[in-house]
Amino acid sequence: MADQQYEVPDNTAVRVALWRAMHVQVDAAPHVFEDEIGLRLVAPDEGWRSRPDMDLDATAGFRASTVSRARFVEDLVAEEVSQGIDQYVILGAGLDTYAQRRPDTASRLRVFEIDRPDTQAWKRRRLIELGYGIPDRLRLVPVDFEAGGDWLPQLSDAGFDADRPALVVCAGVTVYLTAAAIAATLRTLGGLAPGSTLAMTFMLPAELVDDVDRDRLEETKPRALASGTPFISFHTPQEMLALARATGFEGARHVSGPQLAGQYFANRTDGLRPSSGEDLLIATV
């Protein structure tokens, strides 16, 4: 893997980047989401598709879920930009490549990517090595959510204006955080300027997952634990809606996985369909 002298991102960030690339390389068109830049950042060994977590059939549902939430988020970004939002914050950004793939809309935004200090240092180095650089509109902000404390000042130090509305996205993160860390994050975001919007994914408890997907979800839990990224938090839609309202959000709605499947995977002939288990909270200040 690229840059062995520096600690690479955790397995979850790498896996998401590779699944995005696999969707383009192995799934039939039309592609729900196109991103191979993350693959370039990771620069895995030639046999990366032979990894157990890249199994073409066994992980198809997870791969489809990953690209469906990515597509939903970027459709939301486009909508918010059209309404005048010019600050975009990505919490737990991992190997997100929006700023590199979408210079047309990114040029109208200041994009703040927040993630762990080691991940941010590695990503900064790789973007420079690959020639993308770090344009002024992109700010990489190192934050450890689980370390506690108020992280908003770090975001402000990077140029974020808390007096103006923003779009904030937190995708594929909450399952790895404690309930206290999630609540603290929501309280901070609930205090943003009026007109701000949050899109946050969350994992459903096993009893709310479709029968066909439950066994595979349970199989992934020990592997996540062994890799150092255990699944910690699960929420029902009602719990997430109540938490959003209790932490300062004026409005909150739930977007289910089946809704995304119907929106982005209807009429496909290859049977590709997102697995159930991950839903979205959309909340407004």
Side-chain angles (χ1 to χ4, degrees):
M1 187 174 291
D3 204 0
Q4 293 290 352
Q5 297 179 2
Y6 289 76
E7 185 174 353
V8 299
D10 63 48
N11 289 334
T12 61
V14 171
R15 185 163 54 247
V16 166
L18 298 185
W19 275 344
R20 286 183 173 192
M22 277 196 72
H23 178 58
V24 176
Q25 295 181 2
V26 305
D27 292 328
H31 297 122
V32 173
F33 187 82
E34 297 186 0
D35 177 15
E36 293 183 279
I37 294 178
L39 175 62
R40 293 190 65 200
L41 288 172
V42 176
D45 297 334
E46 287 187 8
W48 66 273
R49 285 194 195 171
S50 299
R51 292 171 38 154
D53 59 357
M54 294 295 122
D55 183 277
L56 183 61
D57 296 322
T59 66
F62 298 134
R63 184 171 70 248
S65 294
T66 296
V67 297
S68 67
R69 80 185 186 202
R71 172 65 179 275
F72 178 87
V73 163
E74 294 203 1
D75 285 351
L76 181 61
V77 173
E79 178 183 341
E80 292 287 314
V81 169
S82 72
Q83 296 177 6
I85 292 293
D86 61 3
Q87 298 187 107
Y88 176 28
V89 181
I90 310 173
L91 302 181
L95 303 185
D96 189 272
T97 60
Y98 174 79
Q100 292 76 45
R101 288 180 297 100
R102 300 298 303 272
D104 51 340
T105 51
S107 65
R108 300 163 61 186
L109 290 164
R110 180 159 288 180
V111 181
F112 300 87
E113 295 189 11
I114 298 180
D115 213 318
R116 301 185 315 180
D118 54 352
T119 296
Q120 296 295 62
W122 180 91
K123 186 174 184 180
R124 178 181 296 275
R125 181 175 176 85
R126 287 296 292 147
L127 287 171
I128 293 171
E129 287 177 345
L130 292 174
Y132 293 106
I134 312 294
D136 183 63
R137 67 176 183 270
L138 174 62
R139 306 295 172 90
L140 303 182
V141 186
V143 171
D144 187 344
F145 290 101
E146 291 291 2
D150 184 3
W151 51 265
L152 187 58
Q154 298 173 66
L155 189 59
S156 297
D157 288 345
F160 180 78
D161 186 348
D163 294 325
R164 291 178 20 244
L167 169 63
V168 182
V169 169
C170 181
V173 175
T174 60
V175 70
Y176 305 110
L177 300 178
T178 62
I182 295 169
T185 298
L186 285 170
R187 279 193 295 271
T188 298
L189 296 173
L192 293 180
S196 295
T197 298
L198 167 67
M200 174 179 278
T201 64
F202 60 95
M203 290 294 291
L204 299 174
E207 62 269 19
L208 296 184
V209 178
D210 291 348
D211 292 343
V212 69
D213 298 321
R214 189 175 302 125
D215 288 345
R216 284 184 177 172
L217 175 62
E218 293 299 322
E219 288 171 2
T220 64
K221 289 181 180 179
R223 292 200 293 267
L225 177 63
S227 68
T229 53
F231 294 171
I232 297 173
S233 294
F234 300 84
H235 295 82
T236 68
Q238 293 75 20
E239 288 170 342
M240 285 302 293
L241 291 170
L243 184 57
R245 294 175 182 128
T247 50
F249 289 92
E250 290 284 330
R253 63 186 175 95
H254 165 231
V255 179
S256 70
Q259 284 178 269
L260 296 186
Q263 185 170 349
Y264 298 121
F265 290 83
N267 303 318
R268 290 189 70 95
T269 59
D270 60 357
L272 185 65
R273 197 81 173 173
S275 59
S276 59
E278 183 179 64
D279 286 4
L280 275 150
L281 166 74
I282 308 299
T284 54
V285 180

